[in-house]
Amino acid sequence: KPWRRSVRCGGMGKQCEHMHRRREGAGPVARTLLLATAVKLLLVPCYKSTDFEVHRNWLAITGTLPLARWYTEATSQWTLDYPPLFGWFERGLAQLAPLADPGLLTVQAGPYDSPAAVLFQRGTVMLADGVLMVGVLWQTSGVHYGGSRGGGLSLDSGRQLSGQQSMSGGGSVTPRGLALLLAVFSPGLLLVDHVHFQYNGMMLGLLLCALAAIGHGRPVTKPSNINPKV
């Protein structure tokens, strides 16, 4: 109840109210992520494309060979052809791969497959989706694209109108909650990433993080020549 929160807040007013809304908002977000993870786990044994072996071979290349050979190794037809940043991402995953199945890091011409390998690689996509969640939550966390400077896009008004009702069980959906639902249950991402096998959710999350950084005017995390007002 609003009056109860006022009593507890005492003289802290808006700050306490803001903290209360954040605590209440964490529940729906956690439930959304748990439900999305459950759906993705159901997709683990589904069809997988040749991209599954492509990324498996990249794990082996980046995990067992020196950097100088990453882009020249051609034992398998699925050579590493993504930019170096993604290569380092694969190398990071390769540090954990032997814990699931040492065979994941075997450089060979033919494909490698095992139940542990499937579960590990599917799991890496689920974990990488965390970047998408961060991007969505950051992008919808406040005023963006110059809103604080006047005339920009802002999600604050919609959240103020419906935020308290939705977070306290009023039944309405906030823009932030809707954005998170649309992202984690995107049919395209579920089919391409969690069935076909890709990391597009992570890439989209990085894009959203970059846009959020631009909107918040963070000079370290955004290109300095981009004007948020444009």
Side-chain angles (χ1 to χ4, degrees):
K1 298 293 183 179
W3 65 269
R4 290 179 181 173
R5 289 200 296 267
S6 299
V7 171
R8 289 198 301 267
C9 287
M12 298 184 67
K14 292 182 179 180
Q15 181 180 358
C16 186
E17 183 69 20
H18 176 68
M19 293 175 61
H20 184 81
R21 286 203 305 268
R22 289 185 63 181
R23 286 196 300 268
E24 289 180 327
V29 169
R31 288 193 293 271
T32 299
L33 298 184
L34 286 174
L35 181 58
T37 302
V39 172
K40 293 169 184 177
L41 285 172
L42 292 175
L43 298 176
V44 166
C46 288
Y47 155 86
K48 58 184 184 296
S49 73
T50 53
D51 279 339
F52 187 87
E53 172 59 21
V54 170
H55 286 277
R56 201 283 313 166
N57 189 59
W58 292 357
L59 283 175
I61 291 174
T62 58
T64 61
L65 300 178
L67 177 60
R69 294 183 57 190
W70 284 8
Y71 290 94
T72 59
E73 166 57 42
T75 300
S76 168
Q77 62 176 318
W78 310 120
T79 56
L80 178 60
D81 55 8
Y82 274 27
L85 179 60
F86 198 87
W88 283 104
F89 167 70
E90 292 279 4
R91 181 174 175 82
L93 296 180
Q95 307 309 305
L96 302 175
L99 300 177
D101 184 349
L104 279 165
L105 300 186
T106 303
V107 178
Q108 59 187 38
Y112 179 86
D113 196 3
S114 74
V118 172
L119 185 59
F120 174 79
Q121 290 192 252
R122 294 288 195 195
T124 62
V125 180
M126 297 181 205
L127 290 177
D129 275 354
V131 179
L132 175 62
M133 313 310 169
V134 171
V136 171
L137 293 176
W138 189 12
Q139 179 72 3
T140 57
S141 63
V143 181
H144 303 296
Y145 298 107
S148 60
R149 303 170 182 86
L153 172 64
S154 172
L155 294 178
D156 279 351
S157 58
R159 196 161 60 233
Q160 288 170 355
L161 290 174
S162 60
Q164 288 182 327
Q165 294 174 335
S166 65
M167 296 307 181
S168 60
S172 60
V173 179
T174 65
R176 193 181 201 194
L178 181 60
L180 187 62
L181 282 171
L182 291 175
V184 299
F185 290 109
S186 167
L189 288 179
L190 288 175
L191 287 173
V192 176
D193 284 10
H194 300 278
V195 177
H196 179 86
F197 194 84
Q198 283 285 343
Y199 292 92
N200 294 292
M202 181 180 70
M203 298 295 101
L204 180 58
L206 289 174
L207 173 61
L208 290 175
C209 286
L211 292 174
I214 293 172
H216 285 286
R218 300 289 180 87
V220 175
T221 52
K222 74 177 182 66
S224 58
N225 61 338
I226 294 181
N227 187 345
K229 293 184 179 182
V230 174

